[in-house]
């Protein structure tokens, strides 16, 4: 039996009902059925976004997921972007079993989601946030370091510091996010206390990602120093690909959120490939991505490589 088909059994695979504890990050407009079904079909956890706020489109995407995969998939509620409290009823009505909540207080939706029988993981950027989420009754945490792409706590903490800190203080299972891209980062995350990983930037640049090829190629071309962290003073902080526009905002006084522009500008970037039209959210790990690859290959290689590294380290340093 090939190594990758051996199950990765732990609390994350048990709770999520997946073969591989690898989660595709929620991302507005990007985390839709084309990408999410590829992840679920490859044995990971595909996630459908709601942060676009386009719930009619999201409902169609979830329907499409049922045609494209019979494997589990989940939904993300990015609370800062979906302010309508009926989002809980919406998600429950879609029949999904797994939800991640992010960008807001874990006390807001966790009780209702748990009461409806869903498995809930909350995304946290700090120890304080992690303890609050555990108190709110979540099943697990997505611990997200500040090197990751997307919206961030303005006081960003790297995965290397945050993950072992949180792991030392909570008992719930942890999915590590921020910098996860391959078997080496997965093995490192497991060493630091995670039982699963979430990939954002890697998935933006995957073959099945719906974004324009220009964005994927910009990720491939990017060095590890080619992202900017914006909006420290205003919040939410955000990490995006360095372009002329985003670089000019690094020292700007204004709130960078206005720089996303309207939907037309966002669409021009996401699907038209004009990288200056809006802000291309992106993590530092872009510097470790050197090709556009199919999701199934990414997941299989990540799992194989992680297992090989853990075995090698065990053999070398494990004693006995
Ligand atoms: C383009 C993009 C959009 C994102 N949108 C969301 C979102 O809607 N909800 C959310 O919880 N996280 C969002 N994130 C953060 C990701 O979920 C993920 O945690 C992060 O990308 C992990 O770091 P990485 O980029 O190093 O993999 C986004 C990230 C990117 C790159």
């Amino acid at each position: 039996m090939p190594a990758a088909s051996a199950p990765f059994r732990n609390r994350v695979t048990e709770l999520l009902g997946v073969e591989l504890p690898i989660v595709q990050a929620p991302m507005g407009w990007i985390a839709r059925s084309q990408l999410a079904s590829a992840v679920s079909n490859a044995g990971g956890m595909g996630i459908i976004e709601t942060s676009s706020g386009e719930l009619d489109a999201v409902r169609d995407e979830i329907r499409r997921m049922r045609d494209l995969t019979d494997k589990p998939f989940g939904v993300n509620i990015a609370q800062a972007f979906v302010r309508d409290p009926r989002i809980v009823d919406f998600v429950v009505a879609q029949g999904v079993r797994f939800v991640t909540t992010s960008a807001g207080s874990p006390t807001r939706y966790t009780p209702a989601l748990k009461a409806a029988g869903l498995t809930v993981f909350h995304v946290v950027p700090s120890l304080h946030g992690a303890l609050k989420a555990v108190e709110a009754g979540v099943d697990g945490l997505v611990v997200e370091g500040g090197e990751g792409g997307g919206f961030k706590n303005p006081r960003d903490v790297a995965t290397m510091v945050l993950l072992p800190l949180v792991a030392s203080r909570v008992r719930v299972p942890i999915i590590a996010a921020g910098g996860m891209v391959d078997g080496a980062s997965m093995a490192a995350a497991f060493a630091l206390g995670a039982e699963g990983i979430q990939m954002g930037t890697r998935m933006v640049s995957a073959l099945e990602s719906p974004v324009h090829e220009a964005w994927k190629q910009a990720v491939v071309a990017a060095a590890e120093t080619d992202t900017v962290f914006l909006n420290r003073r205003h919040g939410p902080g955000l990490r995006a690909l360095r372009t002329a526009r985003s670089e000019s905002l690094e020292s700007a006084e204004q709130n960078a959120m206005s720089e996303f522009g309207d939907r037309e500008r966002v669409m021009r970037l996401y699907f038209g490939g004009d990288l200056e039209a809006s802000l291309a959210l992106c993590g530092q790990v872009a510097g470790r991505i050197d090709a556009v690859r199919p999701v199934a290959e990414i997941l299989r290689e990540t799992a194989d490589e992680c297992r090989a590294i853990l075995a090698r380290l065990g053999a070398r340093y494990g004693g006995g």
Side-chain angles (χ1 to χ4, degrees):
M1 194 191 285
S5 58
F8 242 100
R9 226 170 272 127
N10 63 25
R11 290 185 294 172
V12 167
T13 59
E14 293 288 320
L15 274 170
L16 275 55
V18 290
E19 290 157 44
L20 301 175
I22 303 177
V23 178
Q24 159 249 314
M27 298 178 281
W29 290 281
I30 303 169
R32 293 199 172 179
S33 58
Q34 181 175 308
L35 178 60
S37 65
V39 175
S40 291
N41 283 330
M45 176 54 87
I47 300 281
I48 299 287
E49 57 89 16
T50 59
S51 50
S52 64
E54 297 176 352
L55 296 190
D56 287 341
V58 168
R59 191 181 291 111
D60 289 345
E61 290 294 314
I62 292 174
R63 203 170 294 138
R64 215 162 286 144
M65 282 298 279
R66 305 212 189 281
D67 296 331
L68 296 171
T69 185
D70 54 6
K71 302 272 182 64
F73 61 92
V75 170
N76 169 246
I77 303 176
Q79 297 172 202
F81 305 100
V82 199
R83 294 184 185 277
D84 188 340
R86 284 172 298 181
I87 188 72
V88 169
D89 296 335
F90 172 84
V91 168
V92 171
Q94 305 313 309
V96 292
R97 312 302 314 153
F98 176 63
V99 170
T100 61
T101 51
S102 55
S105 170
T107 56
R108 189 156 169 217
Y109 295 139
T110 304
L113 290 164
K114 288 300 304 164
L118 276 73
T119 298
V120 181
F121 275 50
H122 190 68
V123 181
V124 296
S126 66
L127 175 61
H128 175 76
L131 297 177
K132 206 168 143 194
V134 169
E135 203 178 313
V138 299
D139 298 288
L141 301 170
V142 178
V143 171
E144 188 186 56
E147 61 269 69
F151 297 101
K152 294 276 153 303
N153 188 322
R155 296 191 187 279
D156 54 315
V157 181
T159 303
M160 190 77 179
V161 172
L162 184 62
L163 181 53
L165 178 64
V166 172
S168 71
R169 296 288 301 277
V170 305
R171 294 212 171 126
V172 297
I174 292 173
I175 295 168
M180 299 300 133
V181 72
D182 60 1
S185 46
M186 183 172 177
F190 276 42
L192 296 174
E195 292 173 59
I197 61 167
Q198 172 168 290
M199 293 181 184
T201 302
R202 174 108 239 188
M203 290 296 157
V204 174
S205 58
L207 184 69
E208 293 87 345
S209 160
V211 305
H212 194 277
E213 188 63 21
W215 187 351
K216 298 184 190 183
Q217 290 306 328
V219 170
V220 168
E224 77 282 15
T225 47
D226 281 341
T227 65
V228 293
F229 193 97
L230 303 178
N231 235 14
R232 251 183 233 291
R233 260 167 285 174
H234 297 279
L238 60 102
R239 187 175 292 285
L241 199 60
R242 181 200 300 271
T243 63
R245 179 196 206 105
S246 67
E247 194 168 10
S248 75
L249 293 168
E250 270 188 302
S251 53
E253 286 294 328
Q254 85 253 33
N255 189 329
M257 289 302 283
S258 61
E259 286 303 310
F260 276 95
D262 56 12
R263 186 179 190 280
E264 188 275 326
R265 267 173 55 189
V266 172
M267 293 300 105
R268 190 140 46 88
L269 186 157
Y270 279 50
F271 306 112
D274 177 357
L275 292 171
E276 298 289 2
S278 182
L279 296 170
L281 300 172
C282 180
Q284 291 176 342
V285 77
R288 300 196 59 223
I289 295 170
D290 55 13
V292 172
R293 310 265 308 279
V295 161
E297 241 175 71
I298 295 170
L299 263 59
R300 191 178 57 242
E301 278 187 25
T302 298
D304 281 353
E305 194 187 12
C306 175
R307 252 188 276 265
I309 291 170
L310 293 175
R312 197 166 69 233
L313 291 176
R316 180 150 182 203
Y317 298 109

